[in-house]
Amino acid sequence: METDCTRCELPLSMCEHGLRDRTAKTAGAGAEKLLISPTGLAHFGGCPHKGDDPDLSRWAEIRDENAWLKLANGESLPATDGADLALVARARCLDCVNHGPWR
Ligand SMILES: [Zn+2]
Ligand SMILES: [Zn+2]
């Protein structure tokens, strides 16, 4: 059965809200590298939260094309690269979710 949008009551496959959610979910699919902040948030490279600070000594990376979608599905992903391999990405930066990759 089709889910109706809670905002406009059209089926999600037809309304703009559903479209926006689907776009936001898949925008980062295929990003070859994500950054993990010291707080466990996953970002696309170039996120303004990182700003101009080039210091990545407390950050880590995930190299997995499906990482963004896995995180969208609620999975936690351990760092595969970068300075702090003990980091685990548990959620996605909302700015990155809304914006998609920063390039
Ligand atoms: Zn809607
Ligand atoms: Zn971000």
Side-chain angles (χ1 to χ4, degrees), residues 58-72:
R58 295 181 58 222
W59 288 54
E61 298 174 4
I62 305 175
R63 294 178 187 274
D64 176 351
E65 286 186 357
N66 298 312
W68 197 249
L69 287 181
K70 288 180 186 171
L71 289 162

Side-chain angles (χ1 to χ4, degrees), residues 8 29 33 42 46 48 50 54 58 66 84 95 99:
C8 66
K33 179 174 104 173
K50 187 77 187 87
R58 295 181 58 222
N66 298 312
D84 190 346
D95 286 340
H99 182 280

Side-chain angles (χ1 to χ4, degrees), residues 5 7-10 12 15-18:
C5 178
R7 283 161 282 193
C8 66
E9 295 179 354
L10 286 170
L12 269 176
C15 81
E16 55 172 307
H17 307 114

Side-chain angles (χ1 to χ4, degrees), residues 41-44 46-50 59 68 92-97 102:
L41 277 185
H43 300 263
F44 294 119
C47 175
H49 284 174
K50 187 77 187 87
W59 288 54
W68 197 249
R92 302 176 302 163
C93 162
L94 281 183
D95 286 340
C96 289
V97 170
W102 306 92

